[in-house]
């Protein structure tokens, strides 16, 4: 994207870094032409609110299964404006809430959910190939590293925990084996799973929107939904009525009437470097183009992009008072500095590298940190989300589950393996009112950062008690 295009998208430049403009992925692939908005009252068989991964995948699988269905997607800006166009491009098998589902429904139910997530990575790759979507996909797996004794202890526990859910192809590495994959400074160990790929999230969402439209799904962009009622979606331009109204709004759910405390819009920020030289990559390794994460409490995530940049993210300002969301992805300078510090801490040889782009976005966090899929037949209302940062793959599985629930309820099909997954119909209490939730989230992440600093200073193999307190307060365990 040119400087003028970035400015039009709401971005700005500071010290050679484009700040905002939605995300680097749009700078790389260009802003889409916005489809026509709704022009009056309309009807459909299914109306989907939200043009991100969840909404588009749901439309895709419903239309493929039942071509005669009249499906309408309503999107407030353009497809991929939210988390689907701003994320780190991790297509991997993590799913929020698995351990809680094991406690509620038994371990075998949670194992089935995990196996479905493992398969989902390949399902997205399969559909992208079938539909001719070039999303810079590379299945190099996910490498998560430990850089302190406490992180190494957590990593070993995490590795064993994943094996207990049937992931027998996961591998545990020491310092030398880790460096053979990616030379991360001070790395003392890592765990690698093959169930992961890096991708360009905007290329995926654009391609998916195009595939959905080609199937005959109606997509209205620049059409904000202000309220969802049983069998109706209300917009400033008219109401769309349908037997099923599906809410697929993830981090933007709080903007809907009556949904302010349903899912908390957690903020996550990213930077992307300028393209690195061949000599720089020879220094770092990373030939397998694995997705890269760590075992810090305030964790980071990164990928080596198709054009040889490093895109790296973490929590900046984790939450804005009143469940507010940003408009264009602009990021505070101190957050950019913090992310740069993480980059150079991992890779000291990149101290002089230019940060080309910085941006932010929100993801949906339920009060119990569990992703869910629900259909209420009595009101014709369904929803899926609350992915807590694992949405690139989870959205696909959730969408397939939601599509199967609609087909089951409408009599078009019977129960499936997906409709029986333990996240189906899960109920979550609402978040606390303000200022309690703002104070709680700010305090939680401040505590995690303090715990990371203490572990780095003490070199203790025990995780900081502060992190355990924050986990309990947050309701994560």
């Amino acid at each position: 994207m040119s400087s003028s295009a970035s400015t039009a998208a709401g971005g700005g430049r500071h010290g050679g870094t484009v700040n905002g403009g939605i995300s680097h992925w749009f700078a790389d692939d260009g802003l889409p032409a916005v489809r026509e908005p709704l022009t009056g009252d309309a009807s459909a068989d299914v109306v989907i609110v939200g043009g991100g991964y969840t909404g588009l995948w749901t439309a895709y699988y419903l239309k493929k299964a039942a071509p005669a269905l009249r499906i309408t997607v309503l999107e407030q800006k353009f497809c991929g404006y939210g988390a689907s166009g701003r994320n780190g491009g991790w297509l991997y098998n993590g799913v929020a809430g698995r351990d809680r589902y094991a406690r509620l429904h038994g371990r075998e139910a949670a194992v089935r959910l995990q196996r479905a997530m493992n398969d989902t990575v390949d399902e997205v790759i399969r559909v992208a190939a079938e539909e001719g979507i070039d999303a810079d996909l590379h299945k190099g797996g996910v490498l998560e590293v430990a850089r302190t004794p406490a992180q190494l202890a957590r990593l070993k526990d995490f590795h064993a925990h994943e094996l207990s859910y049937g992931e027998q192809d996961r591998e545990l590495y020491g310092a030398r084996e880790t460096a053979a994959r990616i030379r991360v400074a001070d790395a003392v160990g890592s765990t690698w799973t093959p169930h992961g790929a890096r991708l360009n999230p905007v290329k995926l969402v654009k391609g998916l929107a195009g595939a959905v439209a080609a199937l005959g799904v109606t997509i209205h962009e620049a059409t904000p939904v202000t309220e969802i009622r049983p069998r109706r979606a209300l917009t400033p331009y008219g109401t769309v009525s349908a037997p099923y109204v599906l809410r697929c709004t993830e981090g933007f759910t709080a903007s809907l009437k009556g949904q302010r405390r349903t899912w908390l819009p957690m903020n996550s920020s990213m930077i992307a470097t300028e393209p690195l030289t061949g000599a720089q990559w020879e220094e770092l390794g990373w030939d397998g183009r694995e997705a890269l994460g760590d075992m810090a409490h305030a964790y980071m995530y990164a990928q080596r992009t198709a054009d040889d940049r490093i895109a790296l993210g973490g929590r900046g300002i984790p939450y804005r008072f009143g469940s507010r969301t940003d408009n264009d992805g602009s990021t505070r300078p101190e957050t950019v500095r913090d992310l740069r510090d993480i980059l150079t801490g991992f890779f000291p040889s990149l101290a002089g590298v230019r940060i080309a782009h910085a941006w932010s976005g929100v993801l949906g966090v339920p009060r119990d940190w569990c992703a869910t899929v629900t259909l209420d037949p009595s009101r014709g209302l369904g929803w899926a989300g609350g992915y807590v940062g694992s949405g690139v793959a989870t959205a696909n599985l959730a969408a397939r589950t939601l599509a199967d629930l609609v087909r089951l309820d409408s009599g078009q099909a019977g129960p499936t393996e997906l409709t029986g997954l333990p996240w189906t119909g899960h109920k979550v209490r609402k978040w606390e009112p303000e200022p309690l939730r703002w104070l709680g989230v700010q305090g939680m992440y401040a505590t995690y950062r303090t715990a990371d600093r203490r572990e780095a200073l003490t070199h203790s193999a025990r995780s900081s008690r502060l992190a355990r307190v924050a986990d309990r307060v947050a309701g994560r365990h």
Side-chain angles (χ1 to χ4, degrees), residues 112 400-401 403-405 407-408 413-421:
R112 286 191 287 108
R400 284 185 283 137
T401 305
D404 283 0
L405 288 171
R407 298 189 69 228
L408 173 62
T416 67
E417 290 184 8
L418 301 187
T419 59
L421 290 176

Side-chain angles (χ1 to χ4, degrees), residues 200-233:
N200 180 313
V202 161
K203 289 184 178 180
L204 177 61
V205 77
K206 282 184 175 182
L208 183 56
V212 166
L215 289 173
V217 172
T218 299
I219 302 176
H220 290 301
E221 296 178 319
T223 305
V225 173
T226 56
E227 184 180 358
I228 294 175
R229 297 178 184 172
R231 299 179 175 82
R232 288 190 294 169

Side-chain angles (χ1 to χ4, degrees), residues 262-279:
T262 299
W263 289 334
L264 186 139
M266 186 76 76
N267 192 61
S268 196
S269 300
M270 293 198 70
I271 56 173
T273 69
E274 62 187 340
L276 303 188
T277 66

Side-chain angles (χ1 to χ4, degrees), residues 127-385:
V127 175
E130 184 176 287
E131 297 294 343
I133 300 171
D134 181 4
D136 297 336
L137 276 154
H138 181 86
K139 192 180 179 186
V142 179
L143 186 76
E144 293 170 279
V145 301
R147 301 175 66 220
T148 68
Q151 288 185 21
L152 182 61
R154 286 198 297 275
L155 183 139
K156 290 178 178 178
D157 287 344
F158 169 74
H159 178 84
H161 199 54
E162 297 308 295
L163 294 181
S164 75
Y165 280 96
E167 196 179 340
Q168 297 303 313
D169 44 6
R170 176 175 286 273
E171 298 176 5
L172 182 67
Y173 301 141
R176 184 176 299 177
E177 295 165 303
T178 300
R181 282 187 174 269
I182 308 175
R183 285 184 281 279
V184 173
D186 302 321
V188 291
S190 62
T191 180
W192 176 82
T193 175
H195 301 292
R198 75 96 215 266
L199 55 77
N200 180 313
V202 161
K203 289 184 178 180
L204 177 61
V205 77
K206 282 184 175 182
L208 183 56
V212 166
L215 289 173
V217 172
T218 299
I219 302 176
H220 290 301
E221 296 178 319
T223 305
V225 173
T226 56
E227 184 180 358
I228 294 175
R229 297 178 184 172
R231 299 179 175 82
R232 288 190 294 169
L234 282 63
T235 84
Y237 310 116
T239 296
V240 182
S241 301
Y244 299 99
V245 180
L246 309 180
R247 190 187 78 223
C248 303
T249 47
E250 189 57 357
F252 287 85
T253 299
S255 64
L256 293 166
K257 184 176 180 179
Q259 302 293 335
R260 181 63 61 88
R261 294 165 52 197
T262 299
W263 289 334
L264 186 139
M266 186 76 76
N267 192 61
S268 196
S269 300
M270 293 198 70
I271 56 173
T273 69
E274 62 187 340
L276 303 188
T277 66
Q280 287 171 317
W281 283 117
E282 188 174 347
E283 174 77 16
L284 304 183
W286 214 337
D287 297 332
R289 298 180 182 266
E290 302 90 341
L292 173 66
D294 74 350
M295 298 304 293
H297 299 294
Y299 50 84
M300 59 77 73
Y301 51 94
Q303 67 150 286
R304 177 178 177 175
T305 68
D307 62 350
D308 285 333
R309 304 171 190 266
I310 294 177
L312 180 149
R315 300 290 181 262
I317 303 174
Y319 172 69
R320 291 178 172 85
F321 190 88
S323 293
R324 294 195 303 270
T325 57
D326 69 89
N327 292 319
D328 64 357
S330 59
T331 302
R332 294 197 315 177
E334 51 265 46
T335 298
V336 181
R337 289 195 295 269
D338 289 344
L339 292 174
R340 184 188 182 89
D341 287 346
I342 294 173
L343 173 72
T344 56
F346 271 61
F347 306 114
S349 63
L350 300 183
V353 76
R354 182 175 68 88
I355 303 302
H357 207 133
W359 69 98
S360 297
V362 293
L363 49 98
V365 180
R367 188 62 183 88
D368 66 355
W369 302 71
C370 289
T372 58
V373 184
T374 298
L375 181 67
D376 180 353
S378 66
R379 298 186 296 161
L381 298 178
W383 56 89

